[in-house]
Amino acid sequence: SRRLSPMASSSSARPPPLTPRIAAFFVFNPTLGGELDEENKILYFYPPYTDLNQQKSFIGLSEAFANFVSDLSPNAPVESVHCERHRWALFPCEPPNFWMAMVLENPKNFPVKVQALDPTRPSVTSFPLDA
C-alpha cells in the first residue's frame, strides 16, 4: 500500500482558509489624471507586479464608490464596500483629492453593502449594493 506523509494527507483534507487575503493596497488622487491618462492617478500600488489595467480598474471602482456615496450623503465619505468577491476599505487622507484604499479577497460570499459614517448619527449608514 502507498503511504502518504502526514503533511500531504492533512493539507489535502483541510478546508480553504477563512481569512481574507489582501488583493491590493493603493494611494490615488483622482484629480491627477483623466480618461486618457488614468495611470497618473496612481501614487502607490501594492502588489507592484499587478497589471496596469487591473490597477486602473481598482482605482476606477474606488472612485465610483466614493462618488456614489458622496451623491447620497455629501458629509459622510464612503468607508467600506462589501461585495461578493472583495471587501473595499477607503479612507480620504486629504479630502477630496488623496485616497488610500485596501481591497481584500473574501474567502467566501459575504453580504453586499456600502457603509458610510454619518457624522450626525452614532451608527453606520448602510446602502444595499448588488455587485
Side-chain angles (χ1 to χ4, degrees):
S1 77
R2 204 170 97 181
R3 185 173 177 198
L4 296 174
S5 71
M7 291 297 280
S9 62
S10 65
S11 65
S12 63
R14 287 186 190 155
L18 296 178
T19 56
R21 181 182 79 75
I22 294 178
F25 175 80
F26 48 94
V27 178
F28 69 99
N29 182 332
T31 65
L32 296 179
E35 286 187 35
L36 299 177
D37 57 351
E38 285 184 286
E39 61 275 0
N40 292 339
K41 298 175 183 182
I42 304 168
L43 302 174
Y44 174 81
F45 201 96
Y46 173 85
Y49 54 79
T50 304
D51 178 66
L52 182 60
N53 287 328
Q54 183 68 35
Q55 291 181 25
K56 292 192 285 188
S57 176
F58 278 126
I59 301 291
L61 281 170
S62 298
E63 285 184 89
F65 293 143
N67 291 337
F68 174 74
V69 171
S70 71
D71 288 345
L72 297 174
S73 182
N75 297 327
V78 65
E79 281 195 331
S80 65
V81 179
H82 300 232
C83 298
E84 185 176 344
R85 289 182 39 211
H86 295 103
R87 285 185 178 203
W88 301 71
L90 295 125
F91 177 71
C93 310
E94 293 288 328
N97 296 330
F98 291 91
W99 288 80
M100 284 192 323
M102 182 168 44
V103 182
L104 301 174
E105 281 187 10
N106 287 329
K108 60 182 181 175
N109 293 343
F110 282 90
V112 178
K113 59 186 173 180
V114 176
Q115 294 181 337
L117 283 182
D118 184 345
T120 63
R121 295 169 47 198
S123 63
V124 173
T125 304
S126 295
F127 305 99
L129 176 71
D130 291 329

